[in-house]
């Protein structure tokens, strides 16, 4: 089990983590929470009715990481449309979609990141350091979503856009200042892959 998730009987997953790994994941999850920001009503008096009808932003976030986490819904993967009116139509559709979905998407990402932090904080340390993290099926899904968000965030900072960029990461020299971030990106990818396998088994 060290270094990768394994399935638990009846659903869920488990992984052995050392103290450094626990600290890294927790720190990244907290940074993700800070990046995503408070949800509607979290910094104002509770008003369930107002929150229900609260509209989100219509423009994409300025931060490139947030743009990766909350991309436009209506974009052409083949590139910009040939006609300007088509591009304008895509922007209008994307703005409308974002206005009614981004708040919920942010709330979901916050909930998943909080689940990661709480499950790590609840660990019982082993005598020789580290701990075994055990997750229910639902917690596993939250972890999977949060691991994906963390990799998207790091990948955005590293300017990874396709598989070729990932291949280049393996060849970075040790003195490259991006190396620690690259190692975290690749390690989280391994955790994510084994967690997907446990959920599909």
């Amino acid at each position: 089990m060290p270094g990768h998730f394994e399935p638990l009987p009846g659903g869920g997953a488990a992984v052995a983590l050392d103290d450094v790994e626990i600290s890294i994941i927790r720190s990244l999850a907290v940074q993700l929470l800070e990046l995503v920001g408070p949800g509607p009503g979290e910094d104002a008096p509770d008003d369930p009715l107002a929150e229900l009808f609260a509209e989100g932003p219509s423009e994409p976030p300025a931060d490139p990481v947030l743009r990766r986490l909350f991309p436009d819904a209506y974009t052409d993967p083949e590139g910009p449309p040939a006609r300007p009116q088509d591009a304008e139509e895509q922007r209008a559709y994307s703005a409308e979609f974002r206005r009614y979905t981004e708040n919920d998407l942010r709330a979901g990402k916050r909930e998943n990141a909080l689940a990661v932090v709480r499950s790590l904080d609840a660990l019982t340390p082993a005598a020789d350091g580290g701990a075994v993290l055990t997750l229910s099926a639902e917690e596993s899904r939250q972890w999977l979503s949060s691991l994906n968000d963390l990799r998207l965030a790091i990948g955005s900072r590293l300017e990874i856009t396709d598989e070729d960029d990932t291949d280049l990461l393996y060849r970075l020299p040790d003195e490259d200042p991006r190396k620690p971030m690259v190692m975290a990106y690749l390690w989280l990818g391994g955790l994510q892959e084994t967690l997907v396998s446990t959920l599909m088994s």
Side-chain angles (χ1 to χ4, degrees):
M1 184 164 48
H4 62 272
F5 280 98
E6 292 188 358
L8 292 175
V15 61
L17 299 170
D18 64 31
D19 292 336
V20 173
E21 292 168 336
I22 292 168
S23 176
I24 290 171
I25 297 174
R26 190 186 189 285
S27 174
L28 290 172
V30 168
Q31 290 177 53
L32 181 63
L33 284 167
E34 292 170 352
L35 182 66
V36 171
E42 288 183 25
D43 52 2
D46 289 337
D47 185 347
L49 190 60
E51 186 171 320
L52 179 65
F53 293 102
E55 292 185 4
S58 59
E59 294 298 319
D63 187 305
V65 174
L66 289 175
R67 281 202 303 273
R68 182 75 69 89
L69 291 173
F70 304 103
D72 278 335
Y74 296 92
T75 55
D76 187 345
E78 301 301 320
R83 301 187 311 160
Q85 58 265 40
D86 292 339
E88 188 60 37
E89 189 174 82
Q90 280 187 2
R91 282 193 292 271
Y93 287 150
S94 291
E96 189 74 1
F97 186 83
R98 184 180 296 278
R99 184 162 36 247
Y100 294 109
T101 60
E102 186 167 313
N103 283 345
D104 286 341
L105 291 173
R106 284 180 182 261
K109 292 182 187 302
R110 277 192 301 276
E111 186 177 334
N112 293 332
L114 276 171
V116 169
V117 172
R118 288 170 178 155
S119 59
L120 292 175
D121 287 348
L123 287 175
T124 302
D128 56 350
V132 174
L133 174 71
T134 58
L135 303 173
S136 67
E138 175 59 26
E139 289 169 334
S140 295
R141 285 187 286 273
Q142 289 180 302
W143 263 75
L144 186 59
S145 294
S146 206
L147 286 173
N148 186 61
D149 287 342
L150 291 175
R151 292 192 77 239
L152 285 174
I154 295 173
S156 179
R157 293 290 188 230
L158 291 170
E159 300 180 346
I160 297 171
T161 57
D162 56 37
E163 196 60 37
D164 291 339
D165 295 332
T166 305
D167 292 339
L168 291 174
L169 297 180
Y170 288 98
R171 298 193 291 273
L172 281 180
D174 290 341
E175 60 272 15
D176 192 299
R178 296 170 295 171
K179 191 72 170 187
M181 198 181 299
V182 167
M183 298 305 294
Y185 178 83
L186 297 174
W187 171 60
L188 290 173
L191 281 179
Q192 184 181 14
E193 186 176 336
T194 60
L195 186 51
V196 168
S197 297
T198 68
L199 293 176
M200 295 178 64
S201 61

